[in-house]
Amino acid sequence: MVIIGAGIIGAACARECALAGLRVAVVEADFVGGGATAAGMGHIVVMDDSEPQFALTRYSQQLWRELASELPADVEYMACGTIWVAADEQEMQEVRRKHDFYGARRVPTEILDPRALYEAEPHLRPGLVGALLVPEDLVIYAPCAARFLLRQAQARNCDLHMGTVKGIREDGVVLQDGSVLQAGTVVNAAGTWAKELTPGLEMRPRKGHLVITDRYPGFVRHQLVELGYLKSAHTLTAESFAFNVQPRITGQLLIGSSRQFGVEETSVDNHIIAGMLARACQYLPELSRMSAIRCWTGFRAATPDKLPVIGKCPGHEHLYLATGHEGLGITTSLGTARLLLDQLLNRAPAIPLEPYLPGRVMETAHA
Amino acid sequence: MPDLVQMTINGVVVRVPRGSTVAAAVLLAGSSNLRRSVSGELRGPLCGMGICFECRVAIDGRQHVRSCQLLCREGMEVTIGV
Amino acid sequence: MSERSEFDVLVVGGGPAGIAAACCAAEATPRVAIVDDNPALGGQIWRDEPAPSTSQSAIWYQRLARLPVQIIAGTRAFAQAGPHILVAESEDGVCELAFRKLILATGARERFLPFPGWTLPNVMGAGGLQALARSGLTMRGKKIVVAGTGPLLLAAAAHLRQSGAEICLIAEQASRRHLIVFSVRLVCHSSKLQDALALRRELAGVPYLTSCWPAAAQGKEKLESVMLRRGAKTWSVDCDYLACGFHLVPNTELAALLGCGVEQGRVRVDDLQQTTVPDVHCAGEPTGIGGLELSLVEGQIAGHAAAGAPDAARGLFAKRKGLRRFAAGMDRAFALRPQLRSLPQADTLVCRCEDVPLGRLREHSSWRAAKLLTRCGMGPCQGRVCAPAVEFLLGWNVESVRPPVFPVRVESLTTTVTGAPPTLS
Ligand SMILES: Cc1cc2nc3c(=O)[nH]c(=O)nc-3n(C[C@H](O)[C@H](O)[C@H](O)COP(=O)(O)OP(=O)(O)OC[C@H]3O[C@@H](n4cnc5c(N)ncnc54)[C@H](O)[C@@H]3O)c2cc1C
Ligand SMILES: Cc1cc2nc3c(=O)[nH]c(=O)nc-3n(C[C@H](O)[C@H](O)[C@H](O)COP(=O)(O)OP(=O)(O)OC[C@H]3O[C@@H](n4cnc5c(N)ncnc54)[C@H](O)[C@@H]3O)c2cc1C
Ligand code: FES
């Protein structure tokens, strides 16, 4: 088989397939982990927007936890947990709802009263009403994780080809230089670029901005996210931002997050950065005096229902898709790879795979 | 008698000529290093012009300040990595 | 909300190029300002001069003093807030600087090359040690080895010696043959020849070795001695400081951030020093390392042009041409020899912010890949030190800039919106 793209998704798929004994070739145009994977926050987070989103994020998170002992130091695996911060009573209700939802599905969580919250995170602004701690959420450094996953594949049964795929054919892929890589199965894991190779895929780039600070070890201990996040992250308006601060193993703080549709340039937009940082400073006032080193942007591949696309492409016997992971691809990479292999081998999946099948987001399928 | 400013470096009182940068003051006070690198090496200033960030110290509680770009002020509290 | 000021001509950088540009602009147009991150004007060469010490700087400072140029010192331009607006940070706040015409005179920095021990305290740049000496560090009785390449070595050595240091040795990597060709050119520039002769007098008795470079810096917690290499011979010299720089690298980051074309590490300019971006001029070292005289001429041309007096600018073209030829000769004379690529060992750190050794960089094929997978260039200096070294050592193209061009306080990035930031719901 040929996998197009060595982002975290392509790398995870390559590893899963190579470990299962399939012969794999990965084609990467730039370098391993250099696409959206190099832009993301690397928060391995369980989300409850919908049942299928929950199922895939939780399943994947458990796969990451199983892998933890094998990960090299540069993957910066950190079992820091997430704290969902509630600013008012309405958000506190959301804390309780989440607590019940996760509890019913056997994800450990803990409701923090203000005292427990400030003990856990003394630098948060006063006046918050509580929070939900999700201790099994993690943080990793995704580019090195992608490299690790691909190396595991390469150690078994996988070749990496540096080159750009120009087209997908019945018998494999054609590269920019005209050469053909033959394969019985092709997996399009080209992230936001997947659409160029598989037209008709309903997927839009959703831009995000991030800011990293200098090192302030211990200032923040958990990934901190506001509960307004749910509202702002999932409205489909032009732009939104939310308080989302992540401690890195280096002691740096990675500050997110923004979401914008309809913007294609990679340049940093001061207006977005300003709004995003202002919000972060409202929650962590001391942040304002810290030194910000760099700002950057990245693009998430967003489908209309915010679920990824995993499985056989309608109308093509040999072509599979593994893309559309929006803001959760680093989390869901391992689950995606497992579900892909289940389909290739006709195995029973651990979670239902129907919600992720491509048919729902293929324009040709509706026709 | 030159005009002196009094400040502390890791709690020790020093007096340096007014107009000195903090980096120069630390070196004058007898320490060649200003910080510990991420792998624990001792480091001193390199560029003297604000670009290399080797001279970072904490000043009055604020971390990561480039000491080669900042003039000493009366009462300043400087913390260096030792 | 940040303060906003508006100018006809805004000059970024208060070195000779910036001062000359501001003077020429202010003689033709009213609202001119210089913004510079140092506590005082002067750039790298004229800094520390409340009482200017050379007649040339005195002339320029006097000319500037007679003009209504606003000096915004201790303030660093770090991003663009919108078309024709820069944002700058100082110790106590952030301001927006709106302009009709912008002149970038952001100068140069030293190029550093890694060699074993170069991260020890008291190993500094040649300009770096000189800057420290100018900002209060006493040099009396200190033993100093000056090494690397370029005319700055002599200038720094002379200045350090005047400040009371003992210069053990000047080690210049360029060969004698290259330097002879260069000194023949010097003869054609009487002012430069005089400077050179003056330097020679000031350095009388100091050993000056060509084709010689530092192979290692040695010491436990700080520098104790320098191992030098010349041909097959190596030997150690005990010293207090090693002042070591390998010529200069243009500061092109702000220009690149504004979208100005940068080629081979230099900002591209036309005859009137205009960059590829309308209303943005560039003068001095960012357009190519040329030294003081060329910076002054380019600054004047940019100043006249930005103030709408291109004819005054044209009168200086011939002078600039000669100086540029001289600069090209200097580039050739002080070109880095390939042997310097083998100075660092696999475990020699290249990135000093993130402590990344050369061996780890060699696993990668590009600057971006190495950066993402090793953290090289990810620290607060954003590759200003390691990127030029990596370019020389591994031949990589170094990457694009992102705002802020310098690390700034988070709050400075929150106040750059025109319009209030969103409040908590
Ligand atoms: C700001 C931001 C924050 C995020 N935060 C998180 C987070 O905290 N947690 C989380 O789980 N996710 C997060 N994400 C999402 C996550 O980064 C992505 O979902 C994930 O990286 C997608 O991986 P991918 O492999 O599909 O795509 P990519 O990483 O983009 O990989 C695609 C690869 O395909 C290659 N390619 C493309 N076209 C071709 C071609 N024709 N031929 C050959 N190769 C090709 C590209 O070079 C690239 O390497 C975030 C994203 C953004 C933008
Ligand atoms: C470290 C060093 C030491 C030197 N020493 C000597 C010497 O002793 N003798 C000699 O002949 N030549 C010396 N030179 C060379 C000399 O600087 C140049 O030949 C000449 O001064 C060039 O003038 P300039 O205005 O282009 O640059 P500079 O004099 O470097 O001036 C540029 C100014 O712009 C400021 N600046 C840059 N970016 C920003 C920003 N974003 N916002 C605000 N301000 C900014 C800088 O801090 C600096 O003050 C030295 C150069 C360097 C780099
Ligand atoms: S010594 Fe380089 S930034 Fe201060």
Side-chain angles (χ1 to χ4, degrees), chain C residues 25 33 36 55 80 90 119 130 156 255 286 314 333 342 344 350 356 418 423-424:
Chain C
D36 192 291
S55 54
Q80 189 172 25
S90 64
T119 54
Q130 190 185 6
R314 286 195 184 96
S342 48
V350 174
V356 184
T418 316
T423 47
L424 270 182

Side-chain angles (χ1 to χ4, degrees), chain A residues 40-73:
Chain A
M41 279 186 118
H43 187 201
I44 306 294
V45 56
V46 176
M47 295 287 286
D48 58 355
D49 226 28
S50 63
E51 276 305 339
Q53 187 192 56
F54 170 80
L56 187 59
T57 50
R58 178 61 175 163
Y59 179 43
S60 300
Q61 183 181 70
Q62 276 165 331
L63 296 174
W64 279 112
R65 288 162 56 87
E66 282 167 24
L67 205 56
S69 62
E70 292 176 52
L71 298 175

Side-chain angles (χ1 to χ4, degrees), chain A residues 222-357:
Chain A
H222 305 80
Q223 177 128 3
L224 300 178
V225 193
E226 68 167 295
L227 275 163
Y229 183 82
L230 290 167
K231 297 169 223 154
S232 57
H234 298 284
T235 48
L236 295 177
T237 52
E239 62 187 53
S240 60
F241 22 75
F243 166 62
N244 185 344
V245 169
Q246 176 179 87
R248 303 294 314 174
I249 232 166
T250 53
Q252 293 171 285
L253 301 173
L254 181 51
I255 308 170
S257 63
S258 73
R259 283 172 145 82
Q260 266 174 300
F261 274 126
V263 189
E264 309 255 318
E265 331 67 74
T266 57
S267 58
V268 169
D269 182 338
N270 290 325
H271 167 75
I272 299 285
I273 293 284
M276 195 173 93
L277 291 180
R279 188 119 187 121
C281 292
Q282 282 164 351
Y283 280 88
L284 288 168
E286 291 154 82
L287 201 58
S288 65
R289 305 289 291 168
M290 292 185 173
S291 176
I293 288 185
R294 193 175 174 91
C295 306
W296 68 88
T297 63
F299 291 90
R300 312 168 178 95
T303 59
D305 60 7
K306 290 165 283 173
L307 291 175
V309 183
I310 310 164
K312 192 181 280 182
C313 183
H316 298 266
E317 265 317 295
H318 69 299
L319 175 61
Y320 288 75
L321 302 177
T323 184
H325 291 81
E326 219 272 349
L328 289 169
I330 295 163
T331 304
T332 53
S333 54
L334 297 185
T336 297
R338 197 59 72 82
L339 293 183
L340 179 80
L341 184 66
D342 291 338
Q343 293 181 61
L344 287 170
L345 300 183
N346 271 318
R347 292 189 313 205
I351 58 171
L353 46 80
E354 290 71 23
Y356 322 109
L357 292 177

